Each structure stands twice: as C-alpha cells, then as structure tokens.
Amino acid sequence: MKFNTKTIHGGQKNEEATGAVMPPIFQTSTYAQSSPGVNKGYEYSRAANPTRTALENAFAAIENGTHGFAFSSGLSAIDCVLRLLNPGDEIIAGDDLYGGTYRMFTQLFQKYGLKFQFVNMEEAANVANAISSNTKLIWIETPTNPLMKIADIEAITIAVREVNKEIITAVDNTFATPYLQQPLNLGADIVMHSATKYLGGHSDLVMGALMVKDEKLAKELHFIQFAAGAIAGPMDAFLALRGIKTLHVRMQRHCENGNAVAEFLAKHNKVGHVYYPGFEDHPNHEIAKKQMTKGYGGMVSFRLKNESKEAAFKFLENTKVFTLAESLGGVESLVNHPVTMTHASIPETERLKIGVTDSLIRLSVGIEDIDDLLADLEQALTI
C-alpha cells in the first residue's frame, strides 16, 4: 500500500463478530476463558486489548514497522525505551530536546545510574565521536523542539554502527510524522511519537507510541509495557486510530500553512529570525529535503527583534486565532513560549547555550484558512 492508503487500511481488518468497519471500543478489563490459560487471544487488558491492538497495528503500518505499542503518554513511551538499559549505561542525545524528555533524562533516570551526554547532532561525526564503551542508546529528535534543527538519521545510524553495531538508535519523529519521514527506513531501531500531537491530531487525547522492526526488540518492549503498565486505554486508542485515518490530508495542509507562515514571518520587520527547515538558508536544509520527502511540517519557531520577554508576552497575549497553549499538532493553531512553558524545566544556562531565549516563540500551525492565520499574526505583531 502507498502511505495515504496505509493511514486508512494499514494493519486493519473488519471486526469479526459484527463486521464493524471501525474497531469497537472494547471497554473491558478482563476476558472469559474456557479453561485456565485457554482464551481467544486476550486475558487482561494491561497485556492487550482489541481496540489497542488495532491501533498498534496501524502504528506499525504507517512507520513500515512490524510491531507498534501504544502508551499512556509520549513520556511513558520514552520511559519504556530507557528501561531497556542498565545502571552505568550511557545515552547520547541531541542538545536541543523537548523539555519533558530532558527532564526525564536528567532528573529521573540519571539518579538511577544512567549517564547522558548531549551533543549537537547536526553533524553525524559529533555523535560517533561521543561514543564510549558504555554507550547503549542514541536518542535523536529531528526536527528538534523548539529550534527546528535537523539530524541526518541515515548518516548517524551508519556512523554509529561502524563504531558498535549493538548500540540502539531511537528517533523521536513527533514533529515530522511518518507522512514526512520514516526513520525505520533510514536505519533507526525504534521510532517514538507523542501521539498526543499529529497522530491523534485533534487535541483530545494524551498518548505515546513506539514502532520497531526487530522481533527481539519488540518482545523486550512488550514485556516492559506489560510489566510497567503504562498502556493506552481503549477510548484513547479509538480516538487515535480515527486521527491516523486523516493524517495524510491534515499534514498536507499543515505543510502548506506552515510554509506560508514561515515566509510571512521572515519578511516581517518585527521578526528577528525564523527557524524553519524549508528555507534554503537553513543550515540543514539539504538534509531536511532529503529525508522529509513531502514537505517540512507545520512547526515554525521565531525570535522577535525586540528580544525582551515583555515583547514576547505582548505578542502571545494578543493572538486571536492562534491559541496560547501547551502541546502541538492539532487541527487548531497554537502558540507557545518555550522558556516559560514546554522548556521551563531546562536550566537557563543550558537553554541559552543553544539559543532558547526569552523572545523565542514556537508556532504549531493548524489547518485553518491561511488568510486568517496571517491576519492574526500581523495584528499581534503590530500591537
């Protein structure tokens, strides 16, 4: 199947009992057994639930994987990956990360004995040079949140395997979605999504996803999911599956609107700099062009010329179509202030090192009429 067909039919089948086209919401915790250990494939919903199974099959299909896993949040999906490791193991991660990921790494798992090294992943050599005998996992986020840096997934996976084939490479594909890039095809071992965002697409659920191809790795992840219990519930699974079926048409509009907003901001006299990988002068544009095959997504960040927090707050408080809120990837446009919202848990010294300043603003460009979005930005910038 081509991708647009996979979002609707990938991994899916009509429900056997009734022929229902959409999988029903199996709102049950347990399942009858005809004899101890003899069941119809389900025994307890922490292990598996038919609605979640349908979603996990869809997850696998859209990332060209063989196994998908649905979690109660994106962070619980990351937590599952880190539980593959042991005290003393090292993780190499990008220097520009979602604040919740950074918080989990440095404030939770670091005290359990894992070690973290943060490097600029815009050059694959930076990753390879950082590898030590203790390195067990490479954590890639591309495009990054919020500075829209691009990492060359294929180049990094090749460079890592030349050093040590046993190192796991995981990619947070939340910003790009499988519509734009498919990391498993580029050599990654694990793909992670905050399915809260574009996969769900309607700001009505919180969920995480993992997708893999390797059978052994899939068994390990499933055991952790079952044993730790951070699973997605059946209602959320139903909503996420519904969202996936329109992913391709939503992403087309997100990309169109994102590009138009980026171009508008780049020409505005109140804007200092725009972070958007679709621009030819973006330092990683050629890599983005190579691996983000259908566009550059709906995420745009920018800095005002007036770099004070007061100027940023004035803009943030006066948008009317863009809603000031956490999160991203819904059909509605959102505006975010990373320093005080999504990246507040990162120490100021670390934020400033990479350029997450008081005037940095992140937009999640929705699928509204572009004229309304541009008019809203214009009025908020000129107040």
Short mmCIF file of all heavy atoms in Angstrom, two decimals, residues 124-151:
data_model
loop_
_atom_site.label_atom_id
_atom_site.label_comp_id
_atom_site.label_asym_id
_atom_site.label_seq_id
_atom_site.Cartn_x
_atom_site.Cartn_y
_atom_site.Cartn_z
N ALA A 124 26.85 14.16 11.90
CA ALA A 124 26.89 12.77 12.35
C ALA A 124 28.18 12.45 13.09
O ALA A 124 28.21 11.63 14.02
CB ALA A 124 26.71 11.83 11.16
N ALA A 125 29.27 13.11 12.70
CA ALA A 125 30.58 12.85 13.34
C ALA A 125 30.55 13.21 14.82
O ALA A 125 31.24 12.58 15.63
CB ALA A 125 31.66 13.65 12.62
N ASN A 126 29.73 14.21 15.19
CA ASN A 126 29.64 14.59 16.60
C ASN A 126 29.11 13.44 17.45
O ASN A 126 29.52 13.24 18.59
CB ASN A 126 28.74 15.81 16.78
CG ASN A 126 29.30 17.06 16.16
OD1 ASN A 126 30.50 17.13 15.87
ND2 ASN A 126 28.46 18.05 15.95
N VAL A 127 28.19 12.68 16.87
CA VAL A 127 27.62 11.53 17.58
C VAL A 127 28.64 10.41 17.67
O VAL A 127 28.90 9.86 18.75
CB VAL A 127 26.34 11.04 16.87
CG1 VAL A 127 25.74 9.85 17.62
CG2 VAL A 127 25.32 12.16 16.75
N ALA A 128 29.25 10.07 16.54
CA ALA A 128 30.23 8.99 16.51
C ALA A 128 31.40 9.27 17.46
O ALA A 128 31.87 8.38 18.17
CB ALA A 128 30.73 8.77 15.09
N ASN A 129 31.85 10.51 17.49
CA ASN A 129 32.99 10.88 18.34
C ASN A 129 32.66 10.83 19.82
O ASN A 129 33.57 10.74 20.66
CB ASN A 129 33.50 12.28 17.98
CG ASN A 129 34.12 12.33 16.59
OD1 ASN A 129 34.55 11.30 16.06
ND2 ASN A 129 34.15 13.51 15.99
N ALA A 130 31.39 10.91 20.16
CA ALA A 130 30.98 10.91 21.57
C ALA A 130 30.79 9.50 22.12
O ALA A 130 30.66 9.33 23.34
CB ALA A 130 29.68 11.70 21.73
N ILE A 131 30.78 8.50 21.27
CA ILE A 131 30.52 7.13 21.70
C ILE A 131 31.65 6.60 22.58
O ILE A 131 32.83 6.76 22.26
CB ILE A 131 30.31 6.20 20.49
CG1 ILE A 131 29.01 6.59 19.77
CG2 ILE A 131 30.24 4.74 20.92
CD1 ILE A 131 28.79 5.85 18.46
N SER A 132 31.27 5.97 23.70
CA SER A 132 32.24 5.30 24.57
C SER A 132 31.86 3.83 24.69
O SER A 132 30.85 3.38 24.13
CB SER A 132 32.24 5.96 25.95
OG SER A 132 31.05 5.63 26.65
N SER A 133 32.63 3.10 25.47
CA SER A 133 32.34 1.67 25.67
C SER A 133 31.04 1.46 26.42
O SER A 133 30.45 0.38 26.39
CB SER A 133 33.49 1.00 26.42
OG SER A 133 33.68 1.63 27.69
N ASN A 134 30.56 2.51 27.10
CA ASN A 134 29.30 2.40 27.86
C ASN A 134 28.08 2.85 27.08
O ASN A 134 26.95 2.72 27.58
CB ASN A 134 29.40 3.26 29.14
CG ASN A 134 30.43 2.73 30.12
OD1 ASN A 134 30.58 1.52 30.26
ND2 ASN A 134 31.15 3.63 30.78
N THR A 135 28.26 3.37 25.88
CA THR A 135 27.13 3.89 25.10
C THR A 135 26.24 2.74 24.64
O THR A 135 26.70 1.80 24.00
CB THR A 135 27.62 4.68 23.89
OG1 THR A 135 28.49 5.73 24.33
CG2 THR A 135 26.44 5.29 23.14
N LYS A 136 24.95 2.86 24.96
CA LYS A 136 24.00 1.81 24.58
C LYS A 136 22.82 2.34 23.76
O LYS A 136 22.11 1.57 23.12
CB LYS A 136 23.45 1.13 25.84
CG LYS A 136 24.50 0.39 26.65
CD LYS A 136 25.09 -0.79 25.87
CE LYS A 136 26.00 -1.64 26.75
NZ LYS A 136 27.24 -0.95 27.13
N LEU A 137 22.60 3.67 23.78
CA LEU A 137 21.44 4.24 23.09
C LEU A 137 21.78 5.61 22.53
O LEU A 137 22.41 6.43 23.20
CB LEU A 137 20.26 4.36 24.08
CG LEU A 137 19.00 5.08 23.58
CD1 LEU A 137 18.30 4.28 22.49
CD2 LEU A 137 18.03 5.35 24.75
N ILE A 138 21.35 5.85 21.29
CA ILE A 138 21.41 7.17 20.67
C ILE A 138 19.98 7.68 20.57
O ILE A 138 19.12 7.01 19.99
CB ILE A 138 22.05 7.12 19.26
CG1 ILE A 138 23.38 6.35 19.27
CG2 ILE A 138 22.22 8.54 18.70
CD1 ILE A 138 24.45 6.99 20.11
N TRP A 139 19.72 8.87 21.15
CA TRP A 139 18.36 9.44 21.12
C TRP A 139 18.36 10.66 20.20
O TRP A 139 18.96 11.68 20.50
CB TRP A 139 17.90 9.82 22.52
CG TRP A 139 16.47 10.25 22.53
CD1 TRP A 139 15.98 11.51 22.43
CD2 TRP A 139 15.32 9.38 22.57
NE1 TRP A 139 14.60 11.50 22.43
CE2 TRP A 139 14.18 10.21 22.51
CE3 TRP A 139 15.16 7.99 22.67
CZ2 TRP A 139 12.89 9.68 22.55
CZ3 TRP A 139 13.87 7.49 22.69
CH2 TRP A 139 12.76 8.32 22.64
N ILE A 140 17.67 10.53 19.06
CA ILE A 140 17.63 11.58 18.05
C ILE A 140 16.25 12.21 18.04
O ILE A 140 15.23 11.51 18.02
CB ILE A 140 17.94 11.00 16.65
CG1 ILE A 140 19.29 10.30 16.62
CG2 ILE A 140 17.87 12.08 15.58
CD1 ILE A 140 19.53 9.47 15.36
N GLU A 141 16.22 13.52 18.02
CA GLU A 141 14.97 14.26 17.81
C GLU A 141 15.17 15.12 16.58
O GLU A 141 16.11 15.91 16.52
CB GLU A 141 14.69 15.14 19.03
CG GLU A 141 13.32 15.80 19.04
CD GLU A 141 13.11 16.62 20.31
OE1 GLU A 141 12.98 16.02 21.40
OE2 GLU A 141 13.10 17.86 20.20
N THR A 142 14.33 14.93 15.55
CA THR A 142 14.51 15.70 14.32
C THR A 142 13.19 15.80 13.56
O THR A 142 12.55 14.77 13.32
CB THR A 142 15.60 15.10 13.42
OG1 THR A 142 15.78 15.93 12.26
CG2 THR A 142 15.30 13.68 12.96
N PRO A 143 12.73 17.01 13.22
CA PRO A 143 13.24 18.31 13.63
C PRO A 143 13.17 18.47 15.15
O PRO A 143 12.29 17.89 15.80
CB PRO A 143 12.32 19.32 12.94
CG PRO A 143 11.71 18.57 11.80
CD PRO A 143 11.56 17.16 12.30
N THR A 144 14.08 19.29 15.70
CA THR A 144 14.14 19.43 17.14
C THR A 144 13.11 20.44 17.64
O THR A 144 12.64 21.29 16.90
CB THR A 144 15.53 19.87 17.59
OG1 THR A 144 15.82 21.16 17.05
CG2 THR A 144 16.60 18.88 17.17
N ASN A 145 12.83 20.30 18.92
CA ASN A 145 11.87 21.15 19.60
C ASN A 145 12.62 22.02 20.61
O ASN A 145 13.18 21.49 21.57
CB ASN A 145 10.86 20.25 20.33
CG ASN A 145 9.78 21.00 21.05
OD1 ASN A 145 9.71 22.21 21.04
ND2 ASN A 145 8.91 20.25 21.72
N PRO A 146 12.71 23.35 20.43
CA PRO A 146 11.92 24.18 19.51
C PRO A 146 12.72 24.80 18.36
O PRO A 146 12.18 25.59 17.60
CB PRO A 146 11.45 25.30 20.43
CG PRO A 146 12.64 25.53 21.33
CD PRO A 146 13.29 24.18 21.52
N LEU A 147 14.01 24.48 18.22
CA LEU A 147 14.87 25.23 17.29
C LEU A 147 14.91 24.65 15.88
O LEU A 147 15.64 25.16 15.02
CB LEU A 147 16.29 25.34 17.86
CG LEU A 147 16.39 26.16 19.15
CD1 LEU A 147 17.81 26.13 19.69
CD2 LEU A 147 15.94 27.60 18.92
N MET A 148 14.16 23.60 15.65
CA MET A 148 14.00 23.05 14.29
C MET A 148 15.34 22.64 13.65
O MET A 148 15.54 22.77 12.45
CB MET A 148 13.27 24.07 13.39
CG MET A 148 11.95 24.56 13.94
SD MET A 148 10.75 23.24 14.27
CE MET A 148 10.42 22.67 12.61
N LYS A 149 16.26 22.13 14.48
CA LYS A 149 17.49 21.56 13.93
C LYS A 149 17.16 20.23 13.25
O LYS A 149 16.20 19.55 13.63
CB LYS A 149 18.52 21.32 15.04
CG LYS A 149 19.09 22.57 15.69
CD LYS A 149 20.12 22.18 16.74
CE LYS A 149 20.73 23.37 17.42
NZ LYS A 149 21.72 22.96 18.47
N ILE A 150 17.95 19.86 12.29
CA ILE A 150 17.74 18.62 11.55
C ILE A 150 18.94 17.72 11.73
O ILE A 150 20.09 18.14 11.53
CB ILE A 150 17.52 18.89 10.05
CG1 ILE A 150 16.33 19.84 9.84
CG2 ILE A 150 17.31 17.58 9.29
CD1 ILE A 150 14.99 19.29 10.25
N ALA A 151 18.69 16.47 12.09
CA ALA A 151 19.73 15.45 12.17
C ALA A 151 19.57 14.50 10.99
O ALA A 151 18.45 14.12 10.63
CB ALA A 151 19.63 14.69 13.48
#
